[in-house]
Amino acid sequence: MRTRRQGNDIVLTVPTKFGISENVEYIAVKGPDDSITFIKKEKNIFDEAAVKGEKLDATPGFPDDGRQT
């Protein structure tokens, strides 16, 4: 694979053999050795709840980690 310039962006074309669907958002993370890892972007349940005016309470679902607060 080779990068190419498209306007103000650098584009990396991913071959179809990787099985990635169209219009899927990814987050790119650059490592200390200039490697790049792509992570599929998931929906943010907190943002969705805020838009709906809902409040999320996750405390009952989290196990006690044993730390003193």
Side-chain angles (χ1 to χ4, degrees), residues 4-33:
R4 62 184 164 84
R5 179 171 295 281
Q6 186 173 346
N8 291 328
D9 297 321
I10 298 296
V11 177
L12 180 64
T13 303
V14 179
T16 55
K17 69 181 180 182
F18 285 94
I20 297 174
S21 301
E22 290 184 61
N23 298 316
V24 178
E25 288 189 64
Y26 287 85
I27 298 169
V29 180
K30 186 174 180 182
D33 61 351

Side-chain angles (χ1 to χ4, degrees), residues 10 17 28-29 32 41-42 45 52 56 64:
I10 298 296
K17 69 181 180 182
V29 180
K41 187 174 180 181
E42 299 292 337
I45 61 170
K52 296 177 185 176
L56 295 180
D64 181 11

Side-chain angles (χ1 to χ4, degrees), residues 28-37:
V29 180
K30 186 174 180 182
D33 61 351
D34 286 340
S35 64
I36 299 175
T37 302

